[in-house]
Amino acid sequence: MQNYWKILPPSVCLLILMICIHLNLTNNVDTAVYQWLHQSLSSNVVERYLKIISDVFSPFNCLILILLILAILFFVNKFKFWWYGFWCFCVLLIGTFLKNIIQRPRPSASFDGYSFPSMHVLSVCLLVVLVLLLKRNSILYVLSLVLVISIMISRIYLQAHYFTDTMGSLFVLWAMVQALQIARKSDVRFQSKYFKERLQQN
């Protein structure tokens, strides 16, 4: 029962953030972050990098990569394929649901759709977490951190999202990671050495 409390902090943070957005209490923070980024990152090289990384790691491209990983996992470990596949589906479903329920306008009219949460950030975070669930090492952690920060900065810098949109995506994934950990601990098959050996043999 104690493990279930771990999902509470990110859920509360997400709820408070959505309330603040609805009451327009985040405008000053969003504006301050946007202005600070434009003052700090005025280089053409940096701007080009942010545009490229935003295009390369679009939600669609991230979805393709996630599906490729899951397709490989299907032949390697069907148990984890179903677990992680369903989890990825739920994360994207929740992000899409929140976007269409809250319907926050974009900072710039040049971008279509709604702003909160950032599906770019959520998709990239989902991709890197899936990779880290399957393969963990320090290099991957560093690369994942750089990628997530870069995509957050790019979406704010390009006026595709507010700062709080990107934070909302982090809170969604944080809550879903905690939910996954709770589910994994509740399923004895994740803890069974015998079952893991059987999966490796299959």
Side-chain angles (χ1 to χ4, degrees):
M1 182 67 182
Q2 187 177 4
N3 291 328
Y4 288 91
W5 287 101
K6 293 182 179 180
I7 202 173
L8 189 60
S11 301
V12 171
C13 289
L14 180 62
L15 179 61
I16 292 174
L17 180 61
M18 290 190 295
I19 292 173
C20 290
I21 289 173
H22 180 71
L23 298 175
N24 295 320
L25 299 177
T26 61
N27 294 347
N28 291 336
V29 174
D30 289 327
T31 302
V33 172
Y34 171 76
Q35 291 177 346
W36 178 77
L37 287 177
H38 267 264
Q39 291 172 0
S40 304
L41 306 175
S42 57
S43 170
N44 291 331
V45 176
V46 173
E47 184 173 350
R48 194 175 300 115
Y49 164 75
L50 294 176
K51 288 181 178 179
I52 290 173
I53 202 168
S54 182
D55 291 336
V56 171
F57 289 96
S58 66
F60 178 78
N61 291 343
C62 288
L63 178 60
I64 295 299
L65 292 174
I66 291 170
L67 291 176
L68 286 174
I69 294 172
L70 291 174
I72 296 172
L73 191 60
F74 177 80
F75 296 101
V76 176
N77 190 323
K78 287 186 174 63
F79 174 69
K80 288 187 177 180
F81 162 79
W82 289 111
W83 260 103
Y84 294 153
F86 179 72
W87 178 72
C88 290
F89 171 77
C90 290
V91 172
L92 295 175
L93 181 65
I94 290 173
T96 304
F97 174 78
L98 290 176
K99 186 177 284 286
N100 287 281
I101 287 296
I102 296 176
Q103 298 186 359
R104 188 185 195 185
R106 298 268 192 176
S108 173
S110 59
F111 292 94
D112 296 328
Y114 301 117
S115 193
F116 182 93
S118 169
M119 291 304 292
H120 266 79
V121 175
L122 186 61
S123 300
V124 168
C125 289
L126 180 59
L127 174 62
V128 300
V129 168
L130 179 60
V131 171
L132 292 174
L133 285 170
L134 300 173
K135 181 69 175 180
R136 298 183 182 183
N137 61 55
S138 56
I139 296 177
L140 282 177
Y141 274 112
V142 173
L143 291 176
S144 299
L145 183 61
V146 171
L147 179 58
V148 170
I149 293 175
S150 295
I151 202 71
M152 290 176 67
I153 292 174
S154 72
R155 302 310 288 169
I156 300 169
Y157 188 92
L158 299 173
Q159 285 191 293
H161 289 285
Y162 298 101
F163 167 70
T164 45
D165 297 333
T166 63
M167 292 304 300
S169 299
L170 295 184
F171 290 146
V172 169
L173 194 73
W174 180 16
M176 291 303 292
V177 167
Q178 294 302 321
L180 177 64
Q181 296 300 330
I182 292 170
R184 288 176 63 179
K185 289 181 180 179
S186 65
D187 194 317
V188 294
R189 289 173 293 181
F190 267 112
Q191 310 300 326
S192 172
K193 182 178 180 181
Y194 168 73
F195 188 81
K196 292 178 182 178
E197 290 175 351
R198 278 189 62 188
L199 289 175
Q200 291 174 355
Q201 292 173 359
N202 294 336

